[in-house]
Amino acid sequence: MVESAEGESGHLHLNGSVRAGNGSIEEKVDELRRLFGKADGDPLRIVGVGAGAWGSVFIAMLQDAYGGVRDKVQIRIWRRAGRGVDRATAEHLFEVINSREDVLRRLIRRCAYLKYVEARLGDRTLYADEILKDGFCLNMIDTPLCPLKVVTNLQEAVWDADIVINGLPSTETGQVFEEISRYWKERITVPVIISLAKGIEAESEPELRLVTPTQMINRSTGVPIENILYLGGPNIASEIYNKEYANARICGAQKWRKVLAKFLRQPHFIVWDNCDLVTHEVMGGLKNVYAIGAGMVAALTKESATSKSVYFAHCTSEMIFITHLLTEEPEKLAGPLLADTYVTLLKGRNAWYGQKLASGELSLEMGDSIKGKGMIQGVSAVKGFYELLSQSSLNIHDSGENRHVAAAELCPILKTLYKILIVREKPTKAILEALRDETMNDPRERIEIAQSHAFYRPSLLGK
């Protein structure tokens, strides 16, 4: 992987034409700079906040693409200082370095190789922000990135940023952006924020409701919602950085999403734009919920394709059902939305977590922040969605039973995950019992209920 865009000879476009790499890059940069009203000599400042796997890869992709036009674009990433790298991880990191000739040469050239030798021997401690500067993300040791400009002081990182990339988990987004808001009190210009967070949190006051990361950012900073966008898609971070073909959608106001989609697009990472911010964020949180169950099913059935496909049919019908409560005219679960769900159920940290729980390699007592993986966001989302849908105000008429039931009762997989993960009343094998329950309705019926009722409750998302 090159350290910047300077070595690229060109990009192949879908129509087969090849354009000079730096030429097309500068065109995209200049278009975005004009929208921000940038003067010559004043670089566009892009800052990543949070250095998990996807947050680090996203900034590294931008660095790879635009590192050759540093007079026009400055790219950096913030992460907290002080997180130590244990010796076992340092030993593994040393093995990764020595297996990659390009990485080895790069570290020797930067006079950084010796510290990894010393860390392997236990003679010194490495830190997460330190290795990130050399292109190593603590949550993704096996995938070396390009070197990054790392800042550990949050005020220094964001105070003059034009574009902020939120790479934090939903559980931390509100708190960190509350702090950021203090540094923006004297700002004249309004920044643009792109959230990568795929999680949703619950709050109980003034009433039980869900809050999306873009809402948290809007509340914390006062940045208008039209300047806050969400980017999501079927993205496994390490695979994308290794240039496996992927696509995503950037959702939000038209003023920014069109030009940002063009700016973020690369030959191996196609970005489309979409106006439906709410559906994509809600689905981003829901897929983490159901990915945990998918991992359990995979482990308990020894990767049975039949069982996994049955689970997929039921969980996607529940996702559609829930989305109709939260969005007036939700985008259909198709295209990138469906692909995002599929890849997360297939190979994401939440699916991995479900597999490890079902196989006994992890326990619930270990919490939902796992070494080498980061925050398992689906756990808190299970609690938030289930408790929200259990409110009596959301009772729905069940024609099969001829009675009114809580919306959560029509989501048996969500209910079972709540009993496994949150109240811990059932073992992981209960997910199969729910799936094989002969009283389980055809998934089509659940979708028809959602589409035939005036389900939408704006208050559930704090509107």
Side-chain angles (χ1 to χ4, degrees), residues 66-125:
Y66 297 106
V69 286
R70 294 174 187 170
D71 57 325
K72 295 186 175 184
V73 183
Q74 289 183 0
I75 301 166
R76 56 189 186 267
I77 187 169
W78 170 83
R79 75 151 294 138
R80 294 181 179 89
R83 175 79 180 273
V85 177
D86 61 44
R87 185 172 175 181
T89 304
E91 289 175 349
H92 181 56
L93 183 55
F94 184 77
E95 292 173 359
V96 171
I97 291 168
N98 283 277
S99 69
R100 295 278 298 265
E101 185 179 347
D102 57 329
V103 176
L104 181 61
R105 280 190 281 108
R106 187 182 77 200
L107 290 175
I108 292 173
R109 189 166 62 246
R110 292 163 61 95
C111 301
Y113 180 66
L114 183 59
K115 66 185 177 186
Y116 293 96
V117 177
E118 294 174 343
R120 178 181 67 93
L121 298 173
D123 295 336
R124 66 163 290 174
T125 299

Side-chain angles (χ1 to χ4, degrees), residues 30-51:
D30 289 341
E31 183 178 1
L32 190 56
R33 284 173 54 84
R34 283 193 295 271
L35 198 55
F36 274 94
K38 285 289 181 179
D40 290 344
D42 182 16
L44 185 71
R45 296 174 176 86
I46 301 175
V47 177
V49 174

Side-chain angles (χ1 to χ4, degrees), residues 28-287:
K28 292 193 289 186
V29 170
D30 289 341
E31 183 178 1
L32 190 56
R33 284 173 54 84
R34 283 193 295 271
L35 198 55
F36 274 94
K38 285 289 181 179
D40 290 344
D42 182 16
L44 185 71
R45 296 174 176 86
I46 301 175
V47 177
V49 174
W54 186 214
S56 296
V57 162
F58 197 82
I59 293 300
M61 286 199 304
L62 293 179
Q63 177 63 37
D64 276 337
Y66 297 106
V69 286
R70 294 174 187 170
D71 57 325
K72 295 186 175 184
V73 183
Q74 289 183 0
I75 301 166
R76 56 189 186 267
I77 187 169
W78 170 83
R79 75 151 294 138
R80 294 181 179 89
R83 175 79 180 273
V85 177
D86 61 44
R87 185 172 175 181
T89 304
E91 289 175 349
H92 181 56
L93 183 55
F94 184 77
E95 292 173 359
V96 171
I97 291 168
N98 283 277
S99 69
R100 295 278 298 265
E101 185 179 347
D102 57 329
V103 176
L104 181 61
R105 280 190 281 108
R106 187 182 77 200
L107 290 175
I108 292 173
R109 189 166 62 246
R110 292 163 61 95
C111 301
Y113 180 66
L114 183 59
K115 66 185 177 186
Y116 293 96
V117 177
E118 294 174 343
R120 178 181 67 93
L121 298 173
D123 295 336
R124 66 163 290 174
T125 299
L126 293 170
Y127 292 92
D129 58 288
E130 177 184 16
I131 66 172
L132 188 61
K133 294 176 183 177
D134 293 325
F136 302 105
C137 171
L138 190 58
N139 290 346
M140 200 175 51
I141 292 296
D142 292 305
T143 304
L145 308 175
C146 61
L148 297 175
K149 168 68 175 176
V150 181
V151 181
T152 56
N153 181 293
L154 185 58
Q155 181 175 8
E156 178 188 345
V158 304
W159 74 274
D160 62 346
D162 299 299
I163 300 174
V164 175
I165 312 295
N166 175 35
L168 298 163
S170 59
T171 49
E172 297 180 27
T173 293
Q175 178 184 355
V176 172
F177 276 87
E178 283 280 357
E179 183 177 349
I180 288 173
S181 69
R182 300 204 300 267
Y183 310 136
W184 284 350
K185 287 182 178 178
E186 306 301 321
R187 283 191 68 128
I188 299 174
T189 59
V190 180
V192 168
I193 301 165
I194 302 172
S195 180
L196 310 178
K198 296 181 178 180
I200 285 182
E201 301 302 312
E203 62 182 20
S204 56
E205 297 295 339
E207 59 184 346
L208 187 60
R209 59 189 181 184
L210 298 180
V211 187
T212 67
T214 58
Q215 287 178 318
M216 297 176 202
I217 294 168
N218 170 248
R219 289 183 188 180
S220 299
T221 63
V223 172
I225 199 68
E226 55 265 28
N227 274 46
I228 307 173
L229 303 99
Y230 166 74
L231 185 137
N235 307 322
I236 300 296
S238 60
E239 294 180 353
I240 291 175
Y241 195 73
N242 287 328
K243 295 193 180 298
E244 294 190 28
Y245 182 78
N247 53 58
R249 281 176 174 166
I250 188 163
C251 308
Q254 181 170 341
K255 174 184 178 181
W256 294 109
R257 72 173 193 263
K258 295 284 186 184
V259 67
L260 285 170
K262 188 182 299 184
F263 179 76
L264 298 173
R265 186 176 299 134
Q266 299 186 33
H268 68 287
F269 184 66
I270 304 304
V271 180
W272 297 302
D273 69 280
N274 191 281
C275 64
D276 192 348
L277 175 65
V278 175
T279 301
H280 285 77
E281 269 199 294
V282 170
M283 284 294 191
L286 278 171
K287 70 181 181 58

